Amino acid sequence: MSLVLTLVVGDGGDGDKPARAAATVSPSSSSGSGAGPGSSTGSGSGGSSSAQPTESGSPSASAPPAGYGLREDTEEFRIAVPEGWSRSAVKSQFGMAVVSYRSPDREHRLQVYQVAEESPEASFELYLSDGTPKPDGFQELGLTRLDDGPFTGSRLEYLADRIDGEPDVGTWHVIDERFVAQDGRIYAVASYGPDADGRDDELAQVTTAVDWFCPPDTQCDDDPAVD
C-alpha cells in the first residue's frame, strides 16, 4: 500500500468490537497503491463510470442490508462491512490508523482512513495531479461530486493493473469516496475488487459503508433496531 501525504509508519492486527446497541448512524459518508490517506484518487482515460452515483450519507433502513454487519472499530468509528471479513490496520502520520477489511479470499477490500486535505474535492485534486504516483495501469472511469444538502463528498472510480500488497486478480476495480463526516472531519472509504466479476459489488460496499459510518467521538442517531 502506498500512501501519498499521510505515511504509514507501522502496522496493526485485528481489533474491532461488536457494534453497540442503539448506535446507528445518521450518516455522512478510498485506497492502496493508488490513493491513500491524505491523497486523492484518479486521473486517467477519463471514460464514463459504469456505476451510477447514489446518494450517500443517509441509511434507508434501520439496519444494514442482508450480508452486512455493523463493526465498532478500535479506532472508534463505526461502519457496516460484509459479514465474515477480517480486519487489519497500519498507523498513519495523520489522523487515525488506516483500517482495511478484507474478504476471506482477499480479493475484495474496504479501506477506511482520515483525509489530510481541507475538502474531498481538494483531496482528489491532489491525487489527480501529475506529481502524485498512480498504481500500474491506472485508468480513471469517473469523478463525481456527491454534494446534496448537508452532505459533502466526491467519488472516484478507476481501474488498475496492480495494487501493492494485494493479490493478482487481473484488473482491479476501485471506488473511492471521500466525504465530510458528522464530526466535521474528512474521511475516505474505498472498495477494491476484481473488475472481472462486475462493478456493482464495489459500489454497493462503498455506499453501504458510508451510509452507516459514524466517526470517532461522535454521537450518531440512535437506532434500537440494531443489536
Side-chain angles (χ1 to χ4, degrees):
M1 174 170 59
S2 169
L3 307 181
V4 178
L5 291 187
T6 305
L7 302 177
V8 169
V9 295
D11 61 6
D14 62 20
D16 57 293
K17 301 172 286 185
R20 285 188 299 247
T24 302
V25 11
S26 88
S28 12
S29 143
S30 314
S31 278
S33 73
S39 77
S40 320
T41 317
S43 87
S45 69
S48 61
S49 168
S50 64
Q52 296 300 313
T54 60
E55 179 181 350
S56 295
S58 50
S60 57
S62 60
Y68 288 80
L70 286 178
R71 307 280 287 266
E72 185 178 336
D73 198 88
T74 54
E75 290 298 312
E76 305 300 332
F77 65 82
R78 190 180 56 247
I79 197 168
V81 301
E83 295 174 346
W85 285 26
S86 62
R87 178 199 186 272
S88 63
V90 291
K91 294 181 179 179
S92 171
Q93 290 184 351
F94 177 80
M96 69 185 196
V98 182
V99 177
S100 292
Y101 294 96
R102 289 182 173 87
S103 61
D105 62 8
R106 298 184 63 83
E107 292 188 353
H108 294 267
R109 177 177 68 162
L110 276 170
Q111 188 181 56
V112 188
Y113 59 88
Q114 191 173 340
V115 173
E117 289 76 51
E118 68 274 13
S119 70
E121 185 178 17
S123 185
F124 281 122
E125 181 178 354
L126 174 61
Y127 185 76
L128 290 169
S129 65
D130 292 340
T132 300
K134 314 292 190 297
D136 294 345
F138 179 87
Q139 178 185 354
E140 181 186 347
L141 298 178
L143 177 61
T144 305
R145 291 284 294 274
L146 302 176
D147 297 0
D148 184 19
F151 181 80
T152 299
S154 295
R155 178 187 294 154
L156 175 73
E157 182 179 10
Y158 65 92
L159 303 177
D161 292 341
R162 186 175 65 87
I163 300 294
D164 288 351
E166 302 301 328
D168 181 6
V169 300
T171 300
W172 284 91
H173 175 238
V174 183
I175 297 182
D176 182 342
E177 187 162 321
R178 305 181 186 197
F179 57 94
V180 181
Q182 288 180 326
D183 61 357
R185 297 185 175 98
I186 301 167
Y187 297 88
V189 175
S191 179
Y192 300 76
D195 190 46
D197 68 1
R199 299 175 180 177
D200 291 343
D201 48 354
E202 286 79 43
L203 180 60
Q205 289 157 14
V206 161
T207 55
T208 300
V210 169
D211 283 349
W212 292 90
F213 182 80
C214 185
D217 302 316
T218 302
Q219 179 63 51
C220 296
D221 288 351
D222 291 344
D223 188 341
V226 177
D227 296 328

